[in-house]
Amino acid sequence: MSQPKKHSPKPGQEKPAAGQGKRGGKRKGMCLEDRPILEPNAAGIDIGAREIFVAVTPDRAEDPVQVFSTFTEDLEKMAQWLVSCGVTTVALESTGVYFALSSALIGRVQVPPALG
């Protein structure tokens, strides 16, 4: 069998190099430091089957990202840590049903999940 021939792209149809947009320039966007903080009292929570990653703004804690286990005792520690950081709302990310207990526990300590 013969190999298919590779055709060179027509003028103007070259693929941009990595890190460049369609127009050939570098991608423009805000770096993390330039992004405005819309909810200063918010935390982000990524819930998995065995671990929960929780992040607050760097001014709220010495270690602004914490990892908690999914056992009830650890969830209670997570909720108390959020309260001690002054968190009043959270954004939850979960691809399964693991959020149910975490959400209920967080609501019990008056930290409502953010919807929006």
Side-chain angles (χ1 to χ4, degrees), residues 64-78:
V65 177
Q66 299 283 323
V67 181
F68 296 91
S69 181
T70 55
F71 294 106
T72 303
E73 179 180 331
D74 298 304
L75 295 175
E76 289 172 351
K77 288 178 186 176
M78 175 188 69

Side-chain angles (χ1 to χ4, degrees), residues 8 12 21 29-31 42 57 62-63 67 73-74 84 86 89 97 99-100 112:
S8 58
M30 287 190 273
C31 63
T57 56
E62 187 175 323
D63 294 319
V67 181
E73 179 180 331
D74 298 304
S84 73
T89 188
V97 297
F99 73 91

Side-chain angles (χ1 to χ4, degrees), residues 66-109:
Q66 299 283 323
V67 181
F68 296 91
S69 181
T70 55
F71 294 106
T72 303
E73 179 180 331
D74 298 304
L75 295 175
E76 289 172 351
K77 288 178 186 176
M78 175 188 69
Q80 291 308 313
W81 182 70
L82 289 169
V83 170
S84 73
C85 290
V87 171
T88 58
T89 188
V90 295
L92 298 171
E93 189 285 328
S94 177
T95 55
V97 297
Y98 310 115
F99 73 91
L101 180 57
S102 301
S103 182
L105 184 64
I106 290 168
R108 197 172 80 198
V109 294

